Amino acid sequence: MIIETRELLFTNSALKKAFAWYAAVQNQTDLPLGAITTVTPKPGGGVYVLVQQSGASRNREVSFNASKTLAVLLYFCRKQRIPIPREADKDIAAQGDSISLTISGKTRTVSPPA
């Protein structure tokens, strides 16, 4: 068996872009319409997203748990044409103001015919 492990580090600017892409998805109800001003990773892989809504004087804070954050990052990877194996194990973790996505996949090996 061959085991492959990759780590993708999403910087804070990449996180803002990922959530901006997600905010533009039709019929999503997690983020209100507006500009993503801040994305703050929290322990365990979730994030807090601050959104400046048009005409509003205050930013609105929206919390994403780790599984929803992972879904947003996988959507962003698809839009950026970064290949992510569907069957691989995926784990995210906060690293300062960034998020680390670890992808682990297993490939079965075979012997040549005897």
Side-chain angles (χ1 to χ4, degrees), residues 8-23 31 35-42 45-51 64-66 68-77 80 92-101:
L8 304 177
L9 184 67
F10 293 83
T11 63
N12 200 265
S13 65
L15 289 172
K16 286 179 190 175
K17 290 176 185 173
F19 281 92
W21 273 93
Y22 180 71
L31 286 173
I36 307 296
T37 59
T38 307
V39 177
T40 307
K42 55 185 181 179
V47 297
Y48 295 111
V49 179
L50 283 179
V51 180
F64 282 78
N65 63 24
K68 191 66 173 184
T69 301
L70 176 60
V72 170
L73 296 180
L74 293 175
Y75 176 76
F76 183 62
C77 286
Q80 300 299 312
I92 63 172
Q95 287 190 356
D97 68 344
S98 303
I99 294 278
S100 169
L101 169 59

Side-chain angles (χ1 to χ4, degrees), residues 67-109:
S67 64
K68 191 66 173 184
T69 301
L70 176 60
V72 170
L73 296 180
L74 293 175
Y75 176 76
F76 183 62
C77 286
R78 189 171 69 218
K79 289 298 187 184
Q80 300 299 312
R81 299 179 189 259
I82 299 169
I84 306 291
R86 185 171 296 197
E87 64 282 346
D89 293 330
K90 299 158 191 85
D91 186 41
I92 63 172
Q95 287 190 356
D97 68 344
S98 303
I99 294 278
S100 169
L101 169 59
T102 304
I103 305 158
S104 300
K106 297 176 183 176
T107 304
R108 289 201 132 115
T109 56

